Amino acid sequence: MVPTKGYAAQGAHEPLKPFSFDRRDPQPRDVQIEILFCGVCHSDLHIVRNEWGRTIYPCVPGHEIVGRVVKVGREVRKFKEGDLAAVGCMVDSDRVCPNCRAGLEQFCDQGATLTYNSEDKHAGGVTYGGYSKSIVVDQDFVLRVPDRLDPAAAAPLLCAGITTYSPLRKWKVGQGQKVGVVGLGGLGHMALKFANAFGANVTLFTTSAGKVADAKRLGADDVVISKDAASMETQQKRFDFIIDTVSAAHDLSAYLGLLKRDGALVLVGIPPEAVPVNVFHLVFPRRQLAGSLIGGIAETQEMLDFCAERGIACDIEMITIDKINEAYERMLKSDVKYRFVIDMASLA
Ligand code: NAP
Ligand code: ZN
């Protein structure tokens, strides 16, 4: 066993606190990683507070992991001791179902094993995530971190990055298209960077008037304050594609109305509550409403390599782990520029 320190929540209304547990000894195909940095995703907050209703306690969150390989199993060829490596939202899947074969392990027919709060098929019990000092993962679910990426700024690419990159690629967003990004948080700031890098004309929709200058620096051509009805009215039927990263319930019909014929509103934010939709906004100009979940392992590697090539990384605010509960409160107030990353060296 690999004794590991981390931070866990013991209940939905409990703050995260130090917690010790064991990782499995590396098996022949496993990679043992000393975690250097872990990003703080809004999903961590949803799950810690049981907002999606499926949390098993104690819960060690964290699925934006970058670290150093400290040990590999005897069949591991992809990594060696000393390499930088990354782990995202999944640590296993059945590998044989049609979805896994298509490189879409996140939709594995048996259910992908998520990095935390999932059934641990190796060790029993539940998986524990990256707010911890070490992790042991099958090599197929470990990503290479290109040398040109800063390891701390790369960590949030493992969720915020792939979750926005994947739908932009799937819907073939590119030059000549008008793209909207709703919400400027961890996911939203990466959506701006990618949509801009793919050559689209990009508009940010935000509730925060104070984020306008940052949005332009991050890749937005225009910014619309979504609470201003008159500004929203001027945007009707102008967009080919809108990606919605908002973490709380809000009016989707307001964004459907901004799409052209055959335009798509793709939801990646997952509000805990059901959200009503006015079907008229869909059927008339034949608009699409869709969702998207992270991305497969091969696409995650493609995204990391793309970021290295294009000099793209996350804008981060580094915190020590004892500030995690405060960071959650700030995230709820949209007060983060634009992703908290935990420096795991702060956990003695
Ligand atoms: P975040 O950093 O907190 O950003 C969310 C942004 O949404 C905020 O910065 C704010 O932007 C906007 N917002 C928040 N509350 C709002 C409200 N009541 N009305 C309108 N806008 C609001 O969160 P994140 O880490 O980017 O995650 C966003 C969502 O994506 C979460 O629900 C998370 O669970 C989900 N997620 C999904 C996937 C997936 O695979 N689909 C992966 C990761 C995360 P402004 O200040 O600009 O308005
Ligand atoms: Zn996430």
Side-chain angles (χ1 to χ4, degrees):
M1 290 296 190
V2 181
T4 301
K5 287 181 179 166
Y7 257 53
Q10 299 285 347
H13 305 289
E14 300 287 323
L16 289 151
K17 286 186 193 148
F19 173 67
S20 295
F21 59 100
D22 292 322
R23 299 288 188 187
R24 66 176 181 265
D25 281 321
Q27 302 300 296
R29 297 176 53 78
D30 281 344
V31 178
Q32 183 181 334
I33 297 166
E34 181 198 354
I35 300 177
L36 301 173
F37 301 104
C38 185
V40 178
C41 178
H42 205 116
S43 302
D44 301 346
L45 190 158
H46 288 309
I47 293 171
V48 159
R49 299 190 177 176
N50 199 23
E51 292 175 356
W52 292 337
R54 295 178 198 168
T55 308
I56 302 156
Y57 298 96
C59 172
V60 179
H63 56 206
E64 295 183 334
I65 299 166
V66 169
R68 185 78 60 193
V69 174
V70 291
K71 199 169 174 186
V72 295
R74 64 173 187 275
E75 288 171 24
V76 172
R77 297 285 171 270
K78 223 170 114 185
F79 296 94
K80 59 180 189 319
E81 206 184 310
D83 286 350
L84 268 185
V87 178
C89 300
M90 300 179 278
V91 288
D92 211 350
S93 72
D94 75 6
R95 333 283 173 91
V96 295
C97 76
N99 288 325
C100 286
R101 285 187 191 280
L104 297 167
E105 298 88 353
Q106 71 273 36
F107 305 125
C108 174
D109 285 350
Q110 300 300 318
T113 303
L114 301 178
T115 305
Y116 68 91
N117 200 46
S118 226
E119 182 194 343
D120 187 332
K121 292 184 177 133
H122 287 267
V126 67
T127 54
Y128 291 137
Y131 296 8
S132 61
K133 294 294 269 188
S134 75
I135 192 163
V136 177
V137 179
D138 185 291
Q139 63 171 347
D140 292 348
F141 286 78
V142 181
L143 288 305
R144 292 183 309 276
V145 180
D147 288 343
R148 285 160 68 184
L149 288 179
D150 172 71
L157 294 175
L158 277 300
C159 176
I162 185 61
T163 300
T164 49
Y165 181 92
S166 182
L168 290 169
R169 285 298 199 208
K170 161 91 184 150
W171 271 268
K172 300 189 168 48
V173 163
Q175 220 151 15
Q177 286 181 325
K178 203 161 162 61
V179 167
V181 172
V182 188
L184 183 49
L187 269 56
H189 95 290
M190 291 314 301
L192 286 184
K193 291 188 188 209
F194 286 134
N196 179 269
F198 299 163
N201 179 281
V202 193
T203 300
L204 174 74
F205 294 90
T206 178
T207 58
S208 307
K211 292 182 183 174
V212 174
D214 278 352
K216 295 205 166 156
R217 176 178 57 77
L218 294 165
D221 298 282
D222 294 296
V223 180
V224 173
I225 306 299
S226 52
K227 292 189 275 197
D228 178 353
S231 303
M232 289 295 279
E233 192 54 38
T234 63
Q235 304 298 315
Q236 294 291 310
K237 297 189 183 168
R238 296 183 63 187
F239 288 84
D240 299 289
F241 177 92
I242 299 176
I243 181 167
D244 185 332
T245 75
V246 173
S247 50
H250 59 289
D251 181 15
L252 297 186
S253 300
Y255 292 101
L256 287 171
L258 307 189
L259 294 170
K260 295 178 190 167
R261 170 178 54 79
D262 291 324
L265 172 63
V266 176
L267 309 178
V268 288
I270 313 176
E273 310 82 11
V275 184
V277 170
N278 183 338
V279 177
F280 277 96
H281 288 294
L282 283 172
V283 298
F284 268 86
R286 199 170 58 186
R287 293 163 172 141
Q288 305 171 47
L289 176 61
S292 187
L293 178 70
I294 49 174
I297 294 296
E299 192 176 41
T300 304
Q301 190 65 59
E302 174 193 307
M303 179 269 317
L304 288 169
D305 296 344
F306 177 83
C307 288
E309 195 183 301
R310 299 291 291 268
I312 294 174
C314 305
D315 285 34
I316 63 165
E317 179 176 339
M318 194 92 84
I319 59 168
T320 52
I321 199 158
D322 57 320
K323 293 283 185 279
I324 185 64
N325 297 299
E326 226 170 272
Y328 280 7
E329 290 309 314
R330 282 185 53 197
M331 186 153 65
L332 282 174
K333 293 186 203 139
S334 298
D335 174 23
V336 44
K337 290 182 174 174
Y338 279 87
R339 193 56 133 194
F340 291 116
V341 169
I342 306 166
D343 178 358
M344 219 44 80
S346 62
L347 181 57

